[in-house]
Amino acid sequence: MSTRNQDHNQAAPAAPQDLVRRFEQEFGSAPDGVWQAPGRVNLIGEHTDYNEGFVLPFAIDRTARVAVAVRQDATVRLLSTFGDQGMVTASLESLRPGAAKGWTKYPLGVVWALRERGIDVPGLDLLLDSDVPLGAGLSSSHAIECAVISALNELTGAGLGAEDMVLATQRAENDFVGAPTGIMDQSASLRGSKGRAVFLDCRDQTARLVPFETEPAGLVLLVIDTKVSHSHADGGYASRRASCELGAEIMGVKALRDLDVTDLEEASGLLDEITFRRVRHVVTENDRVLQTVELLAGRGPGAIGPLLDASHASMRDDFEISCPELDLAVDTARANGAIGARMTGGGFGGAAIALTPVDSAPTVRDAVAKAFADAGFAAPEIFTVSPAAGAMRIA
Ligand code: GLA
């Protein structure tokens, strides 16, 4: 595991007109438009998406923004405001899985995936800006992909609906970037809405927006970015996915979604110990998502703390995707007043969330910062998030 530096994490996104101006300076003419798409926090439902189960993420108020112009030739030119690669040029014909580097994998992956679907994507100039921290488990890559696919869907007149855009960005991630991820992140980014979490059934992509507002309940949702980098193209994510597929196969079901907690006793007799624990995480996590949705509708966000805690314990002990920094963030937040906390996202680093009474938030922040310093860990970044709008055109 490595610790990320700050290079890509900008404090605030450029205003649309600044991005347009910068685009004109760099590319010599105006863009056809500017599109943005948010990162996401997953409230609960981790590693359930590729098991055709349930998730409850929401779009956050941090976004990737792309200014895009169609070109008359078959060239794609890409530039980011982070400036780490300079201008990157690729020809449409040369796009191949595995060939692109750094952040350019995400826009080029979307171009590639759309062309694979038979959509005639032309040459492009593209300028990217983002304030979604990279590698923090907040889906910075999907924010880029969703901004780009929103732009290209409109510019090519392809007319894809949310479901197809989700599948195309998943194809870009799986087959171009090489990360065997599911459909949760792009669904949150494309379908998110202010004050709402996206309750998604990953078997058939049916989605329902569920009110999730912390403020009226006197709560805030803190994100604790541990600064520990992770990549879903590394082996950990894929090996968990493989265990789930093995578990489903031995249990004779299409996907782990088809098991419920009453099947666990039988599973314990049929599966090896590790596969059983992986399966138990997914089965109990699906159940926790359904319980969370029910509680939010009834008693509100103040009632979901124990489910967040149980989700973290399950990821730490059964799915084994936490790390010392995430465990310390979660334990310290809880010991200092959070009513529930868990790691969020794929794991092996990234961020934790802590649902915290407004009054306790400063104590939680200070205590987590101190605990990290005492443990010799890099300073975490701690900020609040609330459910925000999904992808849209902004200029
Ligand atoms: C990553 C993936 C998602 C999902 C989560 C774990 O964010 O991109 O598809 O599998 O991990 O819940």
Side-chain angles (χ1 to χ4, degrees), residues 18-30 79 87 127:
D18 292 338
L19 207 59
V20 167
R21 209 168 304 124
R22 173 84 188 267
F23 186 99
E24 287 167 351
Q25 280 162 10
E26 300 286 353
F27 293 111
S29 58
L79 186 68
M87 178 103 63
L127 175 65

mmCIF file with all atom_site columns, all heavy atoms in Angstrom, residues 18-30 79 87 127:
data_model
loop_
_atom_site.group_PDB
_atom_site.id
_atom_site.type_symbol
_atom_site.label_atom_id
_atom_site.label_alt_id
_atom_site.label_comp_id
_atom_site.label_asym_id
_atom_site.label_entity_id
_atom_site.label_seq_id
_atom_site.pdbx_PDB_ins_code
_atom_site.Cartn_x
_atom_site.Cartn_y
_atom_site.Cartn_z
_atom_site.occupancy
_atom_site.B_iso_or_equiv
_atom_site.pdbx_formal_charge
_atom_site.auth_seq_id
_atom_site.auth_comp_id
_atom_site.auth_asym_id
_atom_site.auth_atom_id
_atom_site.pdbx_PDB_model_num
ATOM 1   N N   . ASP A 1 18  ? -14.273 29.478 -16.465 1.00 0.00 ? 18  ASP A N   1
ATOM 2   C CA  . ASP A 1 18  ? -12.806 29.388 -16.396 1.00 0.00 ? 18  ASP A CA  1
ATOM 3   C C   . ASP A 1 18  ? -12.308 28.198 -17.199 1.00 0.00 ? 18  ASP A C   1
ATOM 4   O O   . ASP A 1 18  ? -11.262 28.249 -17.844 1.00 0.00 ? 18  ASP A O   1
ATOM 5   C CB  . ASP A 1 18  ? -12.346 29.250 -14.938 1.00 0.00 ? 18  ASP A CB  1
ATOM 6   C CG  . ASP A 1 18  ? -12.622 30.523 -14.157 1.00 0.00 ? 18  ASP A CG  1
ATOM 7   O OD1 . ASP A 1 18  ? -12.763 31.587 -14.794 1.00 0.00 ? 18  ASP A OD1 1
ATOM 8   O OD2 . ASP A 1 18  ? -12.729 30.448 -12.911 1.00 0.00 ? 18  ASP A OD2 1
ATOM 9   N N   . LEU A 1 19  ? -13.079 27.120 -17.123 1.00 0.00 ? 19  LEU A N   1
ATOM 10  C CA  . LEU A 1 19  ? -12.679 25.925 -17.877 1.00 0.00 ? 19  LEU A CA  1
ATOM 11  C C   . LEU A 1 19  ? -12.782 26.210 -19.383 1.00 0.00 ? 19  LEU A C   1
ATOM 12  O O   . LEU A 1 19  ? -11.922 25.798 -20.170 1.00 0.00 ? 19  LEU A O   1
ATOM 13  C CB  . LEU A 1 19  ? -13.582 24.756 -17.473 1.00 0.00 ? 19  LEU A CB  1
ATOM 14  C CG  . LEU A 1 19  ? -12.984 23.374 -17.613 1.00 0.00 ? 19  LEU A CG  1
ATOM 15  C CD1 . LEU A 1 19  ? -11.719 23.225 -16.780 1.00 0.00 ? 19  LEU A CD1 1
ATOM 16  C CD2 . LEU A 1 19  ? -14.004 22.310 -17.180 1.00 0.00 ? 19  LEU A CD2 1
ATOM 17  N N   . VAL A 1 20  ? -13.832 26.925 -19.765 1.00 0.00 ? 20  VAL A N   1
ATOM 18  C CA  . VAL A 1 20  ? -14.002 27.291 -21.175 1.00 0.00 ? 20  VAL A CA  1
ATOM 19  C C   . VAL A 1 20  ? -12.823 28.168 -21.632 1.00 0.00 ? 20  VAL A C   1
ATOM 20  O O   . VAL A 1 20  ? -12.239 27.938 -22.694 1.00 0.00 ? 20  VAL A O   1
ATOM 21  C CB  . VAL A 1 20  ? -15.343 28.042 -21.384 1.00 0.00 ? 20  VAL A CB  1
ATOM 22  C CG1 . VAL A 1 20  ? -15.396 28.715 -22.753 1.00 0.00 ? 20  VAL A CG1 1
ATOM 23  C CG2 . VAL A 1 20  ? -16.513 27.073 -21.219 1.00 0.00 ? 20  VAL A CG2 1
ATOM 24  N N   . ARG A 1 21  ? -12.461 29.124 -20.789 1.00 0.00 ? 21  ARG A N   1
ATOM 25  C CA  . ARG A 1 21  ? -11.339 30.019 -21.146 1.00 0.00 ? 21  ARG A CA  1
ATOM 26  C C   . ARG A 1 21  ? -10.035 29.229 -21.291 1.00 0.00 ? 21  ARG A C   1
ATOM 27  O O   . ARG A 1 21  ? -9.293  29.391 -22.230 1.00 0.00 ? 21  ARG A O   1
ATOM 28  C CB  . ARG A 1 21  ? -11.186 31.097 -20.062 1.00 0.00 ? 21  ARG A CB  1
ATOM 29  C CG  . ARG A 1 21  ? -10.628 32.391 -20.598 1.00 0.00 ? 21  ARG A CG  1
ATOM 30  C CD  . ARG A 1 21  ? -10.746 33.536 -19.589 1.00 0.00 ? 21  ARG A CD  1
ATOM 31  N NE  . ARG A 1 21  ? -12.103 33.766 -19.123 1.00 0.00 ? 21  ARG A NE  1
ATOM 32  C CZ  . ARG A 1 21  ? -12.486 33.762 -17.836 1.00 0.00 ? 21  ARG A CZ  1
ATOM 33  N NH1 . ARG A 1 21  ? -11.623 33.528 -16.868 1.00 0.00 ? 21  ARG A NH1 1
ATOM 34  N NH2 . ARG A 1 21  ? -13.738 34.005 -17.502 1.00 0.00 ? 21  ARG A NH2 1
ATOM 35  N N   . ARG A 1 22  ? -9.804  28.348 -20.336 1.00 0.00 ? 22  ARG A N   1
ATOM 36  C CA  . ARG A 1 22  ? -8.579  27.540 -20.380 1.00 0.00 ? 22  ARG A CA  1
ATOM 37  C C   . ARG A 1 22  ? -8.579  26.643 -21.631 1.00 0.00 ? 22  ARG A C   1
ATOM 38  O O   . ARG A 1 22  ? -7.562  26.478 -22.300 1.00 0.00 ? 22  ARG A O   1
ATOM 39  C CB  . ARG A 1 22  ? -8.508  26.697 -19.087 1.00 0.00 ? 22  ARG A CB  1
ATOM 40  C CG  . ARG A 1 22  ? -7.406  25.692 -19.011 1.00 0.00 ? 22  ARG A CG  1
ATOM 41  C CD  . ARG A 1 22  ? -6.092  26.305 -18.523 1.00 0.00 ? 22  ARG A CD  1
ATOM 42  N NE  . ARG A 1 22  ? -4.995  25.372 -18.619 1.00 0.00 ? 22  ARG A NE  1
ATOM 43  C CZ  . ARG A 1 22  ? -4.591  24.575 -17.633 1.00 0.00 ? 22  ARG A CZ  1
ATOM 44  N NH1 . ARG A 1 22  ? -5.165  24.652 -16.455 1.00 0.00 ? 22  ARG A NH1 1
ATOM 45  N NH2 . ARG A 1 22  ? -3.597  23.721 -17.825 1.00 0.00 ? 22  ARG A NH2 1
ATOM 46  N N   . PHE A 1 23  ? -9.742  26.110 -21.959 1.00 0.00 ? 23  PHE A N   1
ATOM 47  C CA  . PHE A 1 23  ? -9.876  25.262 -23.158 1.00 0.00 ? 23  PHE A CA  1
ATOM 48  C C   . PHE A 1 23  ? -9.493  26.066 -24.404 1.00 0.00 ? 23  PHE A C   1
ATOM 49  O O   . PHE A 1 23  ? -8.745  25.601 -25.263 1.00 0.00 ? 23  PHE A O   1
ATOM 50  C CB  . PHE A 1 23  ? -11.319 24.753 -23.272 1.00 0.00 ? 23  PHE A CB  1
ATOM 51  C CG  . PHE A 1 23  ? -11.536 23.757 -24.376 1.00 0.00 ? 23  PHE A CG  1
ATOM 52  C CD1 . PHE A 1 23  ? -11.566 22.397 -24.116 1.00 0.00 ? 23  PHE A CD1 1
ATOM 53  C CD2 . PHE A 1 23  ? -11.712 24.176 -25.702 1.00 0.00 ? 23  PHE A CD2 1
ATOM 54  C CE1 . PHE A 1 23  ? -11.762 21.475 -25.137 1.00 0.00 ? 23  PHE A CE1 1
ATOM 55  C CE2 . PHE A 1 23  ? -11.915 23.265 -26.726 1.00 0.00 ? 23  PHE A CE2 1
ATOM 56  C CZ  . PHE A 1 23  ? -11.941 21.906 -26.438 1.00 0.00 ? 23  PHE A CZ  1
ATOM 57  N N   . GLU A 1 24  ? -10.018 27.292 -24.469 1.00 0.00 ? 24  GLU A N   1
ATOM 58  C CA  . GLU A 1 24  ? -9.731  28.140 -25.641 1.00 0.00 ? 24  GLU A CA  1
ATOM 59  C C   . GLU A 1 24  ? -8.234  28.434 -25.749 1.00 0.00 ? 24  GLU A C   1
ATOM 60  O O   . GLU A 1 24  ? -7.660  28.399 -26.842 1.00 0.00 ? 24  GLU A O   1
ATOM 61  C CB  . GLU A 1 24  ? -10.518 29.454 -25.550 1.00 0.00 ? 24  GLU A CB  1
ATOM 62  C CG  . GLU A 1 24  ? -11.999 29.259 -25.823 1.00 0.00 ? 24  GLU A CG  1
ATOM 63  C CD  . GLU A 1 24  ? -12.861 30.468 -25.442 1.00 0.00 ? 24  GLU A CD  1
ATOM 64  O OE1 . GLU A 1 24  ? -12.335 31.406 -24.800 1.00 0.00 ? 24  GLU A OE1 1
ATOM 65  O OE2 . GLU A 1 24  ? -14.055 30.435 -25.762 1.00 0.00 ? 24  GLU A OE2 1
ATOM 66  N N   . GLN A 1 25  ? -7.609  28.703 -24.591 1.00 0.00 ? 25  GLN A N   1
ATOM 67  C CA  . GLN A 1 25  ? -6.159  28.961 -24.608 1.00 0.00 ? 25  GLN A CA  1
ATOM 68  C C   . GLN A 1 25  ? -5.383  27.743 -25.108 1.00 0.00 ? 25  GLN A C   1
ATOM 69  O O   . GLN A 1 25  ? -4.465  27.845 -25.898 1.00 0.00 ? 25  GLN A O   1
ATOM 70  C CB  . GLN A 1 25  ? -5.653  29.258 -23.187 1.00 0.00 ? 25  GLN A CB  1
ATOM 71  C CG  . GLN A 1 25  ? -5.894  30.672 -22.712 1.00 0.00 ? 25  GLN A CG  1
ATOM 72  C CD  . GLN A 1 25  ? -5.776  30.745 -21.178 1.00 0.00 ? 25  GLN A CD  1
ATOM 73  O OE1 . GLN A 1 25  ? -5.351  29.801 -20.523 1.00 0.00 ? 25  GLN A OE1 1
ATOM 74  N NE2 . GLN A 1 25  ? -6.181  31.873 -20.635 1.00 0.00 ? 25  GLN A NE2 1
ATOM 75  N N   . GLU A 1 26  ? -5.779  26.582 -24.621 1.00 0.00 ? 26  GLU A N   1
ATOM 76  C CA  . GLU A 1 26  ? -5.003  25.370 -24.924 1.00 0.00 ? 26  GLU A CA  1
ATOM 77  C C   . GLU A 1 26  ? -5.272  24.837 -26.324 1.00 0.00 ? 26  GLU A C   1
ATOM 78  O O   . GLU A 1 26  ? -4.365  24.370 -27.001 1.00 0.00 ? 26  GLU A O   1
ATOM 79  C CB  . GLU A 1 26  ? -5.331  24.268 -23.903 1.00 0.00 ? 26  GLU A CB  1
ATOM 80  C CG  . GLU A 1 26  ? -5.025  24.631 -22.469 1.00 0.00 ? 26  GLU A CG  1
ATOM 81  C CD  . GLU A 1 26  ? -3.524  24.622 -22.161 1.00 0.00 ? 26  GLU A CD  1
ATOM 82  O OE1 . GLU A 1 26  ? -2.732  24.200 -23.021 1.00 0.00 ? 26  GLU A OE1 1
ATOM 83  O OE2 . GLU A 1 26  ? -3.161  25.056 -21.048 1.00 0.00 ? 26  GLU A OE2 1
ATOM 84  N N   . PHE A 1 27  ? -6.551  24.878 -26.739 1.00 0.00 ? 27  PHE A N   1
ATOM 85  C CA  . PHE A 1 27  ? -6.903  24.218 -28.002 1.00 0.00 ? 27  PHE A CA  1
ATOM 86  C C   . PHE A 1 27  ? -7.193  25.209 -29.130 1.00 0.00 ? 27  PHE A C   1
ATOM 87  O O   . PHE A 1 27  ? -7.413  24.805 -30.273 1.00 0.00 ? 27  PHE A O   1
ATOM 88  C CB  . PHE A 1 27  ? -8.113  23.299 -27.789 1.00 0.00 ? 27  PHE A CB  1
ATOM 89  C CG  . PHE A 1 27  ? -7.833  22.122 -26.892 1.00 0.00 ? 27  PHE A CG  1
ATOM 90  C CD1 . PHE A 1 27  ? -8.395  22.032 -25.631 1.00 0.00 ? 27  PHE A CD1 1
ATOM 91  C CD2 . PHE A 1 27  ? -7.007  21.083 -27.313 1.00 0.00 ? 27  PHE A CD2 1
ATOM 92  C CE1 . PHE A 1 27  ? -8.153  20.942 -24.809 1.00 0.00 ? 27  PHE A CE1 1
ATOM 93  C CE2 . PHE A 1 27  ? -6.755  19.981 -26.498 1.00 0.00 ? 27  PHE A CE2 1
ATOM 94  C CZ  . PHE A 1 27  ? -7.330  19.914 -25.235 1.00 0.00 ? 27  PHE A CZ  1
ATOM 95  N N   . GLY A 1 28  ? -7.272  26.504 -28.800 1.00 0.00 ? 28  GLY A N   1
ATOM 96  C CA  . GLY A 1 28  ? -7.394  27.504 -29.856 1.00 0.00 ? 28  GLY A CA  1
ATOM 97  C C   . GLY A 1 28  ? -8.802  27.797 -30.334 1.00 0.00 ? 28  GLY A C   1
ATOM 98  O O   . GLY A 1 28  ? -8.993  28.638 -31.216 1.00 0.00 ? 28  GLY A O   1
ATOM 99  N N   . SER A 1 29  ? -9.819  27.116 -29.784 1.00 0.00 ? 29  SER A N   1
ATOM 100 C CA  . SER A 1 29  ? -11.206 27.466 -30.124 1.00 0.00 ? 29  SER A CA  1
ATOM 101 C C   . SER A 1 29  ? -12.106 27.022 -28.974 1.00 0.00 ? 29  SER A C   1
ATOM 102 O O   . SER A 1 29  ? -11.650 26.318 -28.060 1.00 0.00 ? 29  SER A O   1
ATOM 103 C CB  . SER A 1 29  ? -11.636 26.785 -31.431 1.00 0.00 ? 29  SER A CB  1
ATOM 104 O OG  . SER A 1 29  ? -11.505 25.403 -31.284 1.00 0.00 ? 29  SER A OG  1
ATOM 105 N N   . ALA A 1 30  ? -13.366 27.437 -29.032 1.00 0.00 ? 30  ALA A N   1
ATOM 106 C CA  . ALA A 1 30  ? -14.267 27.174 -27.900 1.00 0.00 ? 30  ALA A CA  1
ATOM 107 C C   . ALA A 1 30  ? -14.703 25.703 -27.875 1.00 0.00 ? 30  ALA A C   1
ATOM 108 O O   . ALA A 1 30  ? -14.805 25.064 -28.925 1.00 0.00 ? 30  ALA A O   1
ATOM 109 C CB  . ALA A 1 30  ? -15.502 28.068 -28.017 1.00 0.00 ? 30  ALA A CB  1
ATOM 110 N N   . LEU A 1 79  ? -6.193  16.848 -22.131 1.00 0.00 ? 79  LEU A N   1
ATOM 111 C CA  . LEU A 1 79  ? -5.382  17.634 -21.219 1.00 0.00 ? 79  LEU A CA  1
ATOM 112 C C   . LEU A 1 79  ? -6.144  17.732 -19.902 1.00 0.00 ? 79  LEU A C   1
ATOM 113 O O   . LEU A 1 79  ? -7.372  17.769 -19.898 1.00 0.00 ? 79  LEU A O   1
ATOM 114 C CB  . LEU A 1 79  ? -5.191  19.036 -21.806 1.00 0.00 ? 79  LEU A CB  1
ATOM 115 C CG  . LEU A 1 79  ? -4.261  19.989 -21.072 1.00 0.00 ? 79  LEU A CG  1
ATOM 116 C CD1 . LEU A 1 79  ? -2.814  19.499 -21.161 1.00 0.00 ? 79  LEU A CD1 1
ATOM 117 C CD2 . LEU A 1 79  ? -4.369  21.394 -21.670 1.00 0.00 ? 79  LEU A CD2 1
ATOM 118 N N   . MET A 1 87  ? -0.232  17.527 -22.700 1.00 0.00 ? 87  MET A N   1
ATOM 119 C CA  . MET A 1 87  ? -1.260  17.164 -23.699 1.00 0.00 ? 87  MET A CA  1
ATOM 120 C C   . MET A 1 87  ? -0.969  15.749 -24.206 1.00 0.00 ? 87  MET A C   1
ATOM 121 O O   . MET A 1 87  ? 0.134   15.449 -24.626 1.00 0.00 ? 87  MET A O   1
ATOM 122 C CB  . MET A 1 87  ? -1.193  18.155 -24.862 1.00 0.00 ? 87  MET A CB  1
ATOM 123 C CG  . MET A 1 87  ? -2.164  17.850 -25.950 1.00 0.00 ? 87  MET A CG  1
ATOM 124 S SD  . MET A 1 87  ? -3.618  18.905 -25.944 1.00 0.00 ? 87  MET A SD  1
ATOM 125 C CE  . MET A 1 87  ? -2.977  20.521 -26.240 1.00 0.00 ? 87  MET A CE  1
ATOM 126 N N   . LEU A 1 127 ? -10.697 18.778 -22.180 1.00 0.00 ? 127 LEU A N   1
ATOM 127 C CA  . LEU A 1 127 ? -9.987  19.313 -21.011 1.00 0.00 ? 127 LEU A CA  1
ATOM 128 C C   . LEU A 1 127 ? -10.713 18.856 -19.757 1.00 0.00 ? 127 LEU A C   1
ATOM 129 O O   . LEU A 1 127 ? -11.919 19.071 -19.612 1.00 0.00 ? 127 LEU A O   1
ATOM 130 C CB  . LEU A 1 127 ? -9.957  20.845 -21.063 1.00 0.00 ? 127 LEU A CB  1
ATOM 131 C CG  . LEU A 1 127 ? -9.354  21.540 -19.831 1.00 0.00 ? 127 LEU A CG  1
ATOM 132 C CD1 . LEU A 1 127 ? -7.870  21.216 -19.673 1.00 0.00 ? 127 LEU A CD1 1
ATOM 133 C CD2 . LEU A 1 127 ? -9.548  23.060 -19.928 1.00 0.00 ? 127 LEU A CD2 1
#
